[in-house]
Amino acid sequence: MEDIIRALEDILRNDMERHDELICCLELERQALVEANLDAIMKMACRKQALAQAIMESIPHVDVLWQKVFPGKKTKVSIRHIDKVVSGGDPGIFRTIRQSLVELNHLKDKVRELTSANRAIAEDCLMFVRDLFSSIMVGDSADPPTYGRSGQVYRRADSNLLMHQEV
């Protein structure tokens, strides 16, 4: 049983290290998004993909070990489940695993928070670029538009737009 617990601790420790590295990647990605450094953004995307793949590959191994520790448990083992088991006996062998799970949950929350923030930055940048191209294609000029009777916008026919001649 102790060998299984040690193996489980090792896998959880590796997952925590991968989540720590993922947090570093997300922080570097945020800086790259702010600086609009496409090379760094692509590099971080590849690194994040490799880390996510490694984390996903460890899940079946953790599940197999949990089944060995808790043979009758059909659902995923959680901190709450460990607390129930520990409350009835010696918490010694589960103390480090419980602490690892708490830290891993904290790291996962941090990853969600940083991912959400980076997504918001990327969406803002994309919206700015979309609006910029939209104004170029539509031909927003300094002259105010003239509205017709049915609410249509009339613009001057002569335009200095680059795309005006191609359209």
Side-chain angles (χ1 to χ4, degrees), residues 120-158:
I121 291 170
E123 287 173 357
D124 286 346
C125 291
L126 290 174
M127 190 179 324
F128 171 77
V129 170
R130 188 193 76 217
D131 291 345
L132 181 66
F133 279 112
S134 175
S135 67
I136 290 171
M137 296 299 286
V138 171
D140 288 343
S141 64
D143 298 332
T146 307
Y147 293 93
R149 206 170 226 190
S150 62
Q152 293 175 331
V153 177
Y154 297 105
R155 298 203 181 270
R156 289 187 348 200
D158 58 328

Side-chain angles (χ1 to χ4, degrees), residues 12 20 27 49 60 64 74 78 99 110-111 127 135-136:
L12 291 174
D20 275 334
E27 289 170 347
Q49 181 66 31
V64 167
K74 299 214 186 293
S78 65
Q99 184 60 33
K110 181 77 173 170
V111 166
M127 190 179 324
S135 67
I136 290 171

Side-chain angles (χ1 to χ4, degrees), residues 50-95:
L51 288 168
Q53 184 66 32
I55 290 169
M56 294 302 291
E57 288 173 358
S58 72
I59 291 174
H61 300 293
V62 171
D63 290 343
V64 167
L65 291 173
W66 278 128
Q67 288 300 317
K68 289 180 181 178
V69 174
F70 302 109
K73 183 81 170 135
K74 299 214 186 293
T75 61
K76 292 224 178 232
V77 177
S78 65
I79 296 171
R80 188 176 306 163
H81 179 74
I82 291 175
D83 287 343
K84 285 180 185 177
V85 170
V86 169
S87 68
D90 179 31
I93 90 175
F94 291 108
R95 183 175 291 132

Side-chain angles (χ1 to χ4, degrees), residues 89-106:
D90 179 31
I93 90 175
F94 291 108
R95 183 175 291 132
T96 55
I97 289 182
R98 185 188 184 288
Q99 184 60 33
S100 296
L101 287 174
V102 168
E103 289 177 31
L104 190 57
N105 283 342
H106 174 71

